[in-house]
Amino acid sequence: MAIAASIASRLQSRFLPSVLQVINESYMHNVPKDSETHFKVVIVSAEFEGMTLIKRHRAVNTVLKEEMQQIHALSIVARTPKQWESSPEFADSPQCMGGSKR
C-alpha cells in the first residue's frame, strides 16, 4: 500500500474524521519524482475535543508510528469540528529551502 493511502486508512480508522486530507508535498522538495517523503495531514475529528494541540499531534504521530519510519516530514493540522466550522482554512506549506543550501 502506498504511504499516503496507509496514512489515510489509519487516521480514518482511529479518529473517524469529518474532514481528512492527506497531501503529498514531496514535489516541493529535492526528491525523486513520485516520492512519498513529505506530507501534510488536515484532520477534523470530535476525538480532539478537550485535547491540547500537542496532544492531538502526539495522537496522530502515535497512530502513524510505522509510516513515520518511512517518511521525512509530517505537517499536521488537527482541529475539532467547531474549530473547523469557524476557520476551515489552513496555511500553505513554505517552499523547500534546499536543506543545507540556505
Side-chain angles (χ1 to χ4, degrees):
M1 178 184 297
I3 296 171
S6 179
I7 290 171
S9 176
R10 287 183 190 269
L11 294 175
Q12 183 67 46
S13 294
R14 169 58 183 87
F15 296 107
L16 303 173
S18 55
V19 174
L20 177 60
Q21 296 179 41
V22 178
I23 305 163
N24 184 346
E25 297 184 328
S26 303
Y27 70 93
M28 297 168 62
H29 301 273
N30 187 22
V31 296
K33 185 178 180 190
D34 299 324
S35 290
E36 289 189 296
T37 57
H38 297 72
F39 289 93
K40 175 181 281 186
V41 167
V42 179
I43 183 168
V44 178
S45 175
E47 294 282 325
F48 297 139
E49 295 287 347
M51 294 175 75
T52 63
L53 184 59
I54 190 70
K55 286 185 180 179
R56 295 173 193 182
H57 283 225
R58 286 179 180 155
V60 168
N61 280 314
T62 297
V63 170
L64 300 179
K65 183 178 179 181
E66 289 180 31
E67 289 78 7
M68 294 301 291
Q69 301 300 313
Q70 303 173 57
I71 67 175
H72 178 73
L74 178 66
S75 172
I76 303 169
V77 176
R79 297 189 183 150
T80 66
K82 185 175 181 180
Q83 289 171 324
W84 184 256
E85 186 178 301
S86 66
S87 180
E89 301 86 24
F90 56 91
D92 291 335
S93 296
Q95 289 295 315
C96 177
M97 297 195 53
S100 63
K101 300 176 190 172
R102 293 182 218 178

